[in-house]
Amino acid sequence: MTHSNVRGEGAPSGATGGISGGVGGSAPGAVPRPRDGSGSGSAGPGTAGPAGPPRRGRRRVLRWVSSVLALVILGTAGAGYLYYRYMNGSIRTDALNLGDSRLGKSKPNAFGQTPLNILLIGSDARNDKENQALGGAKDTFDGPPLADVQMLLHLSADRSNMSVVSMPRDTMIKMPKCTDTDGKVYQASRGLVQTNESLSRGGPGCTVAAWQEMTGIPIDHFMLIDFKGVVAMADAIGGVPVCVQQNVISRNSEGKGSGLKLPKGQNVIQGEQALQWLRTRYGFEDGTDIGRTHAQHMYMNSMAREFRKNAKLTNPVKLNSLAQAAIHAMVVDPDLNKIDKLFDLSMELKKVPTGRITMTTMPWVYSTREEGRVEPKPVEAEELFKMVRDDVALDGKGQPQTGASPSAAASAAPSQPPAAQAAPPARIAVLVRNATGGKDGEENKVKGRSTDVTSLLAAKGFTKAVADSQVAGEDTTLIRYAGLDQAADAQAVATALGLPASSVQRSTDVTGITLFVGKDWRTGDAPKPAAPALNKAPDSARPLNGDNDKECMEIQPGFTW
């Protein structure tokens, strides 16, 4: 794995969306698969000839032609293999996850198909002349890179749909502990930290760790791109159509802004202008990062449509240009370190029609703790993350799921049906843990709740129930058990409390039957009934369909010409 030269090399991830449109799929057209060169076809010319014994001169000519043909075929195959190796050698990688938390893999569906989650990261790194020439004040040169664009791409298990969830760069989150591959440790933050700082805490692997801890979504891969990568990708495809409702110029009285200048209506942008579009905040909508995120979604959808039009095998020159631009633009995780792997990934992504791609923004509210910043919107942000965890299409065209999402530990060890009859309640040991603070944190827990629920269990005959001194955080009440011999007893506890079967999970995080009293059971003798599962992204996520080519960016007052 190459690692030392990629810190901070990434950027607005709009260009990365090109992979979903078929950049990776173009690689085989431009990058031949290696061949062994045997059976080069020389036997055909060498054996062709009249039925009778050929004359000596004619045989010599045929032998010479055969040798030339063999040399050409072998030479072509060899050149293809060398190019293939060159392209493989151009792929830059970095560690996938630098955090301590491990969620395992996404769960397969009933048909054995598994969803795929890819984090697209755009860095503002200005650590070389090309990136420095493309934007930013000189005082930012060679500084720590920031993950100014973060988009989680979810490919459904059945490959019928794709969901993208963006997190605004001004989002305040708790940063996890991250350990760089060189051994440097970045301790977990005590308070809230702006999400784009994750990249400077060891690299993209820390951005992945932050997303996993916040959302509970296992991330399989990441792709990171920088300023010059965006420009190269936009140039390679020949431009991306975008639309503005008025003439726009992104420059305020203090000289701040991306410098984007476009006339009203549709424009085809490429090169540096594409980068300006993706970086524009002053001039779009309300002048915040929220408007910029919407513009990035418009660009990615449009770019995906353009790739579908342009990435055809009939244009090898174009394919070669697209393939090289994609490879040189990105840094990826080690599991994507070969052309073959990127090709296979692109083939999976290309199965989704653009009409089933849904771009969303994490529901947010303005922070009361950090002025001018935002935080995940209570309830609705978690609902969106849960839909992704449960592989529910965000466009409302899929089937809703029921039941609670498994925790990180439980997802690595799925539930098993009870293997035997449950013991009498008086013989079942249950540890009751207070998790009423939910995912929001321990400080919001209801004091004494584990003791109250322990008493409730004792009244139902579970006299071995004990209140745990430890606390946890769960949005829904769960019962976890360690071994198969405990499954029936755990289910008996759930039945006694009126909990659904889906709340019982096998987990490597516990040693016995443990009841996690969640945020849904802060008072009373039973948890609050679960709300019906969503089958469509909430309006606060501002969903945008991939086939929507009529979307036109609203312009902020004072930024027209």
Side-chain angles (χ1 to χ4, degrees):
M1 178 183 76
T2 58
H3 176 81
S4 60
N5 65 335
V6 298
R7 283 286 174 254
E9 297 183 10
S13 60
T16 315
I19 295 296
S20 65
V23 176
S26 68
V31 185
R33 301 271 181 138
R35 305 169 185 165
D36 60 12
S38 60
S40 62
S42 60
T47 57
R55 281 176 279 182
R56 185 174 181 182
R58 190 170 183 182
R59 287 175 60 190
R60 187 181 298 117
V61 170
L62 286 174
R63 246 192 332 261
W64 181 83
V65 171
S66 172
S67 299
V68 170
L69 287 174
L71 183 63
V72 169
I73 292 170
L74 285 170
T76 302
Y81 180 59
L82 288 174
Y83 186 65
Y84 174 87
R85 288 184 61 187
Y86 160 73
M87 290 291 277
N88 272 338
S90 299
I91 298 174
R92 296 171 294 160
T93 64
D94 209 334
L96 175 62
N97 187 351
L98 298 177
D100 291 340
S101 175
R102 294 292 185 270
L103 299 185
K105 297 290 184 181
S106 298
K107 293 192 308 175
N109 63 13
F111 302 99
Q113 302 162 314
T114 306
L116 193 63
N117 298 307
I118 306 169
L119 189 62
L120 310 178
I121 308 171
S123 164
D124 72 347
R126 300 177 179 92
N127 54 355
D128 58 43
K129 290 182 179 180
E130 289 177 275
N131 281 320
Q132 290 170 359
L134 288 169
K138 289 185 177 180
D139 59 3
T140 65
F141 289 1
D142 299 317
L146 299 175
D148 273 358
V149 178
Q150 300 175 35
M151 298 182 180
L152 180 67
L153 186 155
H154 172 81
L155 181 63
S156 67
D158 62 5
R159 305 307 190 245
S160 67
N161 66 89
M162 187 188 302
S163 305
V164 177
V165 180
S166 286
M167 189 195 310
R169 72 160 191 182
D170 293 336
T171 304
M172 305 301 293
I173 65 172
K174 287 186 176 180
M175 203 65 68
K177 175 184 175 182
C178 290
T179 304
D180 200 349
T181 53
D182 63 6
K184 184 174 182 179
V185 176
Y186 299 83
Q187 296 296 339
S189 64
R190 294 184 178 181
L192 297 180
V193 177
Q194 192 164 313
T195 183
N196 63 352
E197 293 184 22
S198 59
L199 193 59
S200 62
R201 294 167 58 86
C206 193
T207 307
V208 168
W211 269 81
Q212 287 198 158
E213 290 219 358
M214 184 184 74
T215 66
I217 300 169
I219 295 175
D220 304 288
H221 301 293
F222 75 79
M223 294 180 176
L224 179 146
I225 189 169
D226 61 6
F227 289 169
K228 64 178 182 289
V230 172
V231 172
M233 293 285 284
D235 282 343
I237 197 172
V240 176
V242 294
C243 179
V244 288
Q245 295 181 13
Q246 296 173 270
N247 297 346
V248 61
I249 181 167
S250 177
R251 192 71 73 195
N252 66 10
S253 58
E254 299 174 356
K256 295 180 180 179
S258 71
L260 179 72
K261 184 176 183 180
L262 293 175
K264 176 182 177 180
Q266 190 175 84
N267 297 266
V268 176
I269 58 175
Q270 63 186 101
E272 188 171 354
Q273 204 170 42
L275 177 62
Q276 290 173 335
W277 175 277
L278 292 166
R279 297 185 64 212
T280 293
R281 180 177 63 180
Y282 299 112
F284 283 165
E285 297 186 345
D286 59 357
T288 68
D289 190 48
I290 307 304
R292 170 162 51 192
T293 299
H294 185 55
Q296 290 167 353
H297 290 168
M298 291 170 58
Y299 181 93
M300 285 187 67
N301 277 340
S302 183
M303 193 173 196
R305 292 192 297 267
E306 288 302 300
F307 269 114
R308 297 293 172 96
K309 294 176 188 175
N310 287 284
K312 307 295 183 184
L313 292 176
T314 53
N315 191 343
V317 175
K318 182 69 131 181
L319 286 176
N320 182 44
S321 176
L322 291 175
Q324 289 209 49
I327 296 303
H328 288 98
M330 296 186 301
V331 176
V332 297
D333 62 275
D335 282 343
L336 294 178
N337 66 346
K338 301 292 183 186
I339 293 293
D340 306 62
K341 296 177 180 180
L342 288 170
F343 168 65
D344 290 342
L345 174 61
S346 73
M347 289 297 99
E348 293 298 295
L349 294 169
K350 282 181 67 177
K351 292 176 181 177
V352 180
T354 53
R356 294 300 310 279
I357 297 174
T358 306
M359 299 278 177
T360 62
T361 301
M362 177 196 74
W364 56 273
V365 293
Y366 280 111
S367 175
T368 57
R369 293 175 278 190
E370 295 287 341
E371 186 178 356
R373 302 293 185 260
V374 301
E375 296 180 27
K377 187 175 184 179
V379 181
E380 292 186 28
E382 172 55 27
E383 286 177 340
L384 187 66
F385 299 149
K386 183 178 186 299
M387 290 181 72
V388 175
R389 288 196 300 267
D390 292 347
D391 197 28
V392 178
L394 299 186
D395 59 8
K397 297 178 182 178
Q399 296 297 318
Q401 306 290 316
T402 57
S405 298
S407 71
S411 65
S415 302
Q416 297 290 337
Q421 187 174 359
R427 292 175 54 191
I428 299 175
V430 184
L431 193 64
V432 183
R433 188 169 296 173
N434 188 344
T436 54
K439 302 295 185 183
D440 296 338
E442 178 185 333
E443 62 270 17
N444 296 312
K445 72 179 185 298
V446 178
K447 293 182 178 179
R449 193 67 186 134
S450 59
T451 302
D452 294 343
V453 176
T454 298
S455 298
L456 178 64
L457 276 171
K460 293 179 179 290
F462 293 87
T463 53
K464 285 191 173 183
V466 176
D468 191 4
S469 59
Q470 294 186 45
V471 296
E474 297 290 346
D475 289 336
T476 57
T477 297
L478 301 169
I479 298 172
R480 296 188 177 118
Y481 64 93
L484 289 177
D485 57 330
Q486 301 167 346
D489 291 350
Q491 189 62 60
V493 176
T495 301
L497 295 174
L499 299 174
S502 59
S503 67
V504 181
Q505 303 169 350
R506 189 181 178 194
S507 172
T508 56
D509 258 7
V510 296
T511 56
I513 297 173
T514 305
L515 169 62
F516 292 80
V517 184
K519 188 178 178 179
D520 60 343
W521 197 5
R522 295 170 66 86
T523 60
D525 292 343
K528 202 173 9 176
L534 294 180
N535 66 348
K536 187 177 182 180
D539 291 341
S540 58
R542 201 174 182 179
L544 180 64
N545 184 269
D547 269 352
N548 185 351
D549 59 0
K550 307 300 181 186
E551 193 81 356
C552 206
M553 202 66 195
E554 180 184 342
I555 303 306
Q556 184 182 8
F559 288 85
T560 59
W561 54 275

